[in-house]
């Protein structure tokens, strides 16, 4: 199905929980979140599966599970099985911090998971602990190489570049994509939520990052990556993987956006930054499939032309990133 701006909407991101086992400074307060959704507050796996089945009828072909941290949600392999049983869905992906991934990886793949994105902002133990507050870097590393071992290709690493924190590791991450068949994506630091860690002078724009990488590696544009989404990819001459850049601040990619988002409590958004939400929960509890289909169509139809990230998150936007899904 196309939205009102002619974009083909075929991608649904589902936040299966607002909980997380890390406390990353740009995402979540140190004490955790004030009001976690209780057991009754989050949708059941069966409700998520019903939405996917109906979304497939309006053109959704790709599903990504996010959080919070999706692997803290109990029985997540069962949800993957439910989604894999929907004939029209041809791609099931997961975004994770990697801490719980390695011990679960084989079960997740057997359930139908095609590929994984691992969020990692530093390969230095002290920095990793600082930015996550509680993380174990060894577990995140094991996740990366377990995904490679299981050939969950393409294995992507999402790195948020923060000036003055990890900008001196940019070439180290690029080298990782040179030495291994990994797809490292450098992401501009975004002002999401009302946390105090984001500051404008910590933003490092893509052009600056790209120039740093070009001084070390000979790059050529590279496009043939499954689920490439908003990233611009380059291949380093002689390298095994690729280096990507996601530029929500300096060069928004809204004209190519193909996604809608669903929160753990049953709200649908057309855009991460759009305050408007459509509540599916009453229809999931007491309504018909047709009712839910109409709400999905409404969300796609109302999808905005572009985000307004430069204007700030805004007091009226009560959701945080971990509640909407990264």
């Amino acid at each position: 199905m196309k939205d009102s701006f002619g974009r083909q909407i075929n991608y649904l991101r589902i936040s299966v929980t607002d909980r997380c086992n890390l406390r990353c400074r740009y995402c979540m307060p140190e004490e955790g979140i004030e009001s976690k959704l209780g057991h009754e507050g989050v949708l059941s796996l069966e409700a998520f599966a019903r939405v996917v089945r109906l979304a497939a009828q309006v053109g959704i072909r790709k599903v990504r599970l996010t959080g919070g941290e999706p692997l803290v949600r109990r029985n997540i392999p069962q949800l993957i099985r439910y989604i894999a049983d929907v004939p029209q869905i041809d791609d099931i992906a997961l975004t994770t911090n990697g801490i719980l991934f390695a011990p679960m990886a084989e079960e997740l793949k057997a359930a139908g998971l095609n590929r994984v994105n691992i969020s990692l902002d530093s390969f230095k133990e002290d920095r990793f602990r600082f930015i996550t507050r509680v993380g174990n870097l060894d577990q995140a590393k094991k996740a990366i190489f377990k995904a490679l071992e299981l050939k969950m290709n393409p294995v992507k690493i999402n790195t948020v570049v923060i000036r003055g924190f990890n900008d001196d590791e940019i070439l180290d991450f690029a080298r990782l994509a040179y030495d291994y068949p990994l797809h490292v994506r450098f992401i501009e630091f975004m002002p999401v939520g009302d946390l105090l860690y984001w500051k404008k002078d910590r933003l490092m724009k893509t052009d600056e990052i790209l120039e740093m990488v070009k001084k070390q590696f000979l790059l050529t544009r590279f496009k043939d990556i499954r689920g490439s989404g908003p990233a611009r990819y380059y291949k380093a001459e002689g390298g095994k993987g690729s280096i990507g850049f996601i530029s929500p601040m300096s060069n928004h990619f809204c004209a190519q956006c193909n996604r809608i988002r669903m929160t753990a409590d049953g709200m649908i958004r057309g855009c991460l930054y759009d305050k408007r939400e459509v509540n599916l929960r009453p229809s999931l509890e007491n309504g018909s499939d047709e009712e839910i289909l109409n709400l999905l169509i409404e969300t796609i139809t109302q999808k905005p032309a572009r985000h307004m990230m430069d204007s700030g998150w805004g007091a009226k936007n009560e959701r945080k990133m971990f509640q909407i899904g990264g």
Side-chain angles (χ1 to χ4, degrees), residues 23-28 30 129-133 195-198:
R23 296 289 180 268
C24 293
R25 291 174 185 271
Y26 55 75
C27 182
M28 192 173 285
E30 185 171 5
R129 173 69 64 157
F130 172 81
I131 199 69
T132 65
R133 293 192 174 104
L195 299 176
L196 300 178
Y197 192 70
W198 195 90

Side-chain angles (χ1 to χ4, degrees), residues 12-28:
L12 172 64
R13 296 176 70 106
I14 300 175
S15 175
V16 296
T17 179
D18 64 345
R19 297 172 185 251
C20 188
N21 50 348
L22 299 184
R23 296 289 180 268
C24 293
R25 291 174 185 271
Y26 55 75
C27 182
M28 192 173 285

Side-chain angles (χ1 to χ4, degrees), residues 117-305:
N117 290 12
I118 297 168
S119 300
L120 180 65
D121 298 328
S122 179
F123 262 115
K124 297 182 184 296
E125 183 68 54
D126 57 338
R127 289 182 182 176
F128 185 82
R129 173 69 64 157
F130 172 81
I131 199 69
T132 65
R133 293 192 174 104
V134 295
N136 183 310
L137 181 58
D138 284 341
Q139 290 172 319
K141 288 179 180 177
K142 286 177 182 175
I144 294 168
F145 291 102
K146 187 65 175 180
L148 284 176
E149 175 192 326
L150 294 178
K151 297 183 174 14
M152 301 181 87
N153 301 321
V155 179
K156 298 177 182 177
I157 297 176
N158 294 338
T159 300
V160 176
V161 179
I162 304 171
R163 190 186 300 278
F165 170 68
N166 62 353
D167 49 322
D168 61 342
E169 294 186 66
I170 289 170
L171 294 180
D172 295 333
F173 274 98
R175 172 64 60 178
L176 193 69
Y178 184 88
D179 292 337
Y180 298 96
L182 292 167
H183 304 278
V184 173
R185 292 117 61 84
F186 295 112
I187 304 172
E188 291 178 341
F189 196 16
M190 293 180 285
V192 179
D194 56 2
L195 299 176
L196 300 178
Y197 192 70
W198 195 90
K199 290 181 172 56
K200 195 168 185 178
D201 60 5
R202 289 178 174 158
L203 167 64
M204 194 168 182
K205 294 186 178 180
T206 285
D207 287 349
E208 187 178 352
I209 303 168
L210 179 58
E211 286 307 308
M212 286 182 63
V213 177
K214 280 181 175 179
K215 289 178 181 178
Q216 186 74 33
F217 301 95
L218 180 61
L219 301 181
T220 55
R221 283 299 301 269
F222 184 61
K223 295 183 179 180
D224 189 21
I225 297 177
R226 187 177 183 187
S228 57
R232 288 183 294 147
Y233 285 98
Y234 296 81
K235 189 145 183 93
E237 186 176 276
K240 295 181 179 179
S242 73
I243 301 166
F245 299 88
I246 299 178
S247 315
M249 299 297 290
S250 63
N251 183 24
H252 73 81
F253 35 79
C254 302
Q256 291 79 44
C257 186
N258 63 342
R259 67 192 63 179
I260 56 175
R261 296 169 179 266
M262 183 176 182
T263 65
D265 56 350
M267 308 296 279
I268 291 276
R269 281 188 172 217
C271 172
L272 170 65
Y273 251 73
D274 190 12
K275 300 173 181 64
R276 291 173 298 178
E277 295 181 327
V278 175
N279 189 357
L280 294 185
R281 193 176 193 110
S283 298
L284 283 167
E285 291 174 350
N286 299 301
S288 65
D289 285 358
E290 183 179 3
E291 218 174 285
I292 297 167
L293 278 169
N294 287 335
L295 292 173
L296 290 169
I297 292 168
E298 177 186 336
T299 301
I300 293 171
T301 302
Q302 292 183 356
K303 185 175 171 66

Side-chain angles (χ1 to χ4, degrees), residues 15-20 28 33 35-38 42 66-69 72 264 322-324:
S15 175
V16 296
T17 179
D18 64 345
R19 297 172 185 251
C20 188
M28 192 173 285
I33 53 180
S35 57
K36 295 174 184 172
L37 294 171
V42 299
T66 71
E69 168 51 46
V72 304
F322 58 81
Q323 295 170 312
I324 302 170

